[in-house]
Amino acid sequence: MKSLSGVDVAFLHLETPETPMNVGSVSLFDLPGRYRRDFHAEVKRQLAQRLHLAPVLHRKLSPMPLQFANPVWVDDDAVDLDHHVQRVTLPPPGTMTQFDDCVARLHAELLDRSRPLWRLRVIDGLESGQVGYYLKAHHAALDGQAGIVLARTLFDLSPRSPSVPRAKDIIAAEHPGMVELGAAALRHDAGQYIKLVRHLPDVVRTLAGLLGPAKAGVSSGRLRQNFAFGPPTPLNVQITAERGFAGLSLPLDAMKALAAAHDAKLNDIVLALCGGALRRYLAHHGGIPKKPLTAAMPISLREAGNTDYTTQATMPLVNLHTHIADPVRRLCAIRDAAGAVKAMVQQAKGVVPMDFPSIGVPWVLHWLAELYGRSHLAGVMPALANVVISNIPGPRVPLYAAGARMSDYWPVSIVEHGLGLNITVISYAGSMGFGITTARAAVPDAHRLTQTLVEAFEELLVETCKPPATAPRRKVATSATAPKNPR
């Protein structure tokens, strides 16, 4: 048995039919000329050889009696690949809009908790001749960085698949009995209470440092601007289970050049482009609020070399400064705000809890999730955040599956009541893949946001390359700036 962390298990208990807690990725693969194999069958065959390499693929939940405490992971020695790996064929003509709608529909489906919490769909019938690859897993099983770890198992670095170490037999333990499960829950909680007492002095010192005078480069003024409710927008409403999805790839070199020109990080450019896109979108959907939008920004707490399949991240708020019309001024303001947040997280990194006592938690969290969904409070309460924006460092080199090269890589993530838009970004082989996941109740057409993202990108390029009015400023090279797949 392996216990779930408190953060992982929160995603289990907060799940409802309207808010499935699935995370995943969408890829397009270019089949080589004269490709005569069945891509779906080849992917399934390769996956059968690699199940033992990734625990998320072969472990399932074992619930506690009466769900009085969190479930535990146990190995499953009979993973049914006919269930987990399936083919979906698009009807003619097989457009990218049809593809995106198919992904959105699949992403809205709840996973079967009696099985390992993942599914893979190979999507063919695209008019481009490409093949789609949509993989999803429950957020209780992995986070964005763990998803990159999983990608190293699923995909190859060349068209020829390397030999895979032979699997050791995965023996499923007998279903733990009531006494064994209860004892495991008590041991877990006892350990968490001891850990809490031991770390309490560190927590107090860290909080005192954060609330006191500015230290370690953290500007209290820049930090405080992030601690504010977001304005009401059409994005922040009660949602249904209907989802939307759209993907967009932008050239990584151009984005890095923008970051260098403004002494910013790549993540600052991502935030600035998302803020600019939302300004353009809201200008035609309710108006641009006078108060700036706020983004929830997941930050990984994973140490270098950590490959655990578990969530290790925190999600502070950052001001998007959408009230500023000038894209360069807005970028600089976002750069300063995001920098203050990251410095704060680094100071608090050692005391952010990833686990906590579990007895009674399933009842409380599930009751709160059901109550929040039925009460329609999301439509009347102030928005703590208007959007989730996440940036995940991904593979720098091309990846392959069953001999085919991956051309595009986009993340798919979670939306919630009151938070109907999630923009997750992953870098891949010279591109930045923007995956836009929406609740259709909040954003009826996700593709409209890809259009405004392209417009925000081009606007920032133009403004950055303008001759300086006063002091000279480095310019951005404009080669390779055309967006890839601007849908």
Side-chain angles (χ1 to χ4, degrees):
M1 292 187 298
K2 177 178 174 56
S3 298
L4 282 80
S5 74
V7 173
D8 287 338
V9 96
F11 291 110
L12 279 179
H13 303 319
L14 293 175
E15 184 173 65
T16 69
E18 293 76 30
T19 58
M21 295 292 167
N22 302 324
V23 293
S25 63
V26 183
S27 307
L28 290 177
F29 283 87
D30 297 324
L31 299 179
R34 298 183 180 180
Y35 191 86
R36 295 293 180 265
R37 291 177 285 170
D38 184 325
F39 185 76
H40 166 255
E42 286 296 301
V43 165
K44 189 174 176 181
R45 181 185 63 79
Q46 288 186 358
L47 197 54
Q49 298 173 346
R50 304 178 188 195
L51 282 177
H52 64 288
L53 299 177
V56 66
L57 299 178
H58 62 75
R59 65 187 182 188
K60 62 182 181 180
L61 295 171
S62 182
M64 291 285 175
L66 302 177
Q67 296 189 15
F68 82 99
N70 294 333
V72 294
W73 293 116
V74 295
D75 278 334
D76 183 356
D77 63 345
V79 179
D80 181 4
L81 286 183
D82 288 335
H83 168 80
H84 287 280
V85 184
Q86 295 185 345
R87 185 201 307 270
V88 177
T89 301
L90 299 176
T95 65
M96 285 306 301
T97 299
Q98 288 176 284
F99 176 79
D100 291 342
D101 289 344
C102 176
V103 169
R105 184 174 64 255
L106 295 172
H107 200 63
E109 296 175 355
L110 294 169
L111 288 161
D112 182 352
R113 295 194 182 186
S114 69
R115 303 173 183 266
L117 295 180
W118 64 276
R119 292 195 81 178
L120 168 62
R121 299 323 207 286
V122 172
I123 306 173
D124 55 25
L126 278 161
E127 61 183 351
S128 66
Q130 295 172 298
V131 180
Y133 186 111
Y134 164 66
L135 175 72
K136 73 174 177 182
H138 202 285
H139 208 335
L142 79 172
D143 63 3
Q145 288 294 334
I148 299 301
V149 175
L150 179 60
R152 297 177 191 146
T153 299
L154 298 178
F155 304 127
D156 304 319
L157 297 177
S158 72
R160 176 172 290 185
S161 299
S163 59
V164 177
R166 291 186 61 185
K168 297 179 181 178
D169 291 334
I170 300 171
I171 302 175
E174 295 291 330
H175 193 296
M178 187 178 297
V179 173
E180 189 177 0
L181 286 169
L186 291 173
R187 286 196 301 271
H188 173 270
D189 279 24
Q192 290 306 310
Y193 283 122
I194 292 171
K195 187 176 180 180
L196 178 63
V197 171
R198 286 177 176 172
H199 285 124
L200 193 57
D202 295 332
V203 173
V204 172
R205 283 194 295 269
T206 300
L207 289 176
L210 290 174
L211 297 175
K215 293 180 181 179
V218 179
S219 166
S220 58
R222 292 176 177 175
L223 192 58
R224 280 196 301 270
Q225 65 182 297
N226 298 297
F227 300 145
F229 288 112
T233 76
L235 309 175
N236 310 115
V237 295
Q238 193 81 8
I239 68 172
T240 66
E242 290 186 285
R243 296 289 178 267
F245 173 77
L248 171 71
S249 296
L250 295 177
L252 179 59
D253 285 347
M255 294 186 65
K256 286 182 175 179
L258 284 170
H262 299 288
D263 194 24
K265 304 292 186 182
L266 187 60
N267 190 63
D268 301 330
I269 303 300
V270 168
L271 292 171
L273 293 182
C274 291
L278 288 173
R279 270 182 57 88
R280 291 173 176 270
Y281 179 83
L282 291 174
H284 299 282
H285 296 80
I288 302 172
K290 294 181 179 179
K291 185 178 180 182
L293 301 186
T294 298
M297 182 180 67
I299 296 178
S300 176
L301 301 178
R302 191 178 293 267
E303 298 290 345
N306 185 314
T307 58
D308 289 344
Y309 286 90
T310 183
T311 302
Q312 300 179 47
T314 187
M315 193 158 65
L317 304 178
V318 62
N319 191 321
L320 292 179
H321 292 281
T322 49
H323 62 298
I324 301 175
D326 181 85
V328 173
R329 284 185 54 228
R330 186 169 63 249
L331 166 60
C332 294
I334 289 173
R335 176 197 63 196
D336 295 342
V341 168
K342 289 179 182 178
M344 177 197 70
V345 170
Q346 286 302 313
Q347 281 188 249
K349 186 175 182 179
V351 298
V352 176
M354 292 290 106
D355 202 0
F356 37 79
S358 67
I359 292 177
V361 167
W363 301 329
V364 173
L365 287 183
H366 189 70
W367 175 78
L368 287 173
E370 292 284 350
L371 177 64
Y372 188 62
R374 286 197 297 259
S375 66
H376 295 274
L377 287 173
V380 296
M381 291 180 62
L384 183 61
N386 299 107
V387 58
V388 177
I389 302 175
S390 181
N391 181 17
I392 303 168
R396 298 181 180 180
V397 296
L399 300 178
Y400 297 80
R405 185 185 186 278
M406 183 192 295
S407 63
D408 294 279
Y409 197 6
W410 303 300
V412 197
S413 199
I414 293 170
V415 290
E416 254 286 1
H417 293 298
L419 203 53
L421 173 61
N422 183 303
I423 304 175
T424 301
V425 186
I426 187 169
S427 54
Y428 167 66
S431 295
M432 292 291 283
F434 287 72
I436 298 173
T437 308
T438 70
R440 289 192 185 272
V443 181
D445 182 8
H447 298 94
R448 177 59 189 139
L449 282 169
T450 62
Q451 296 168 11
T452 59
L453 262 170
V454 171
E455 292 165 4
F457 174 66
E458 293 174 344
E459 178 188 47
L460 187 56
L461 281 172
V462 169
E463 291 299 319
T464 300
C465 293
K466 276 184 177 180
T470 52
R473 184 172 63 198
R474 285 174 287 176
K475 295 185 179 180
V476 177
T478 55
S479 61
T481 56
K484 190 178 180 185
N485 288 326
R487 299 189 250 154

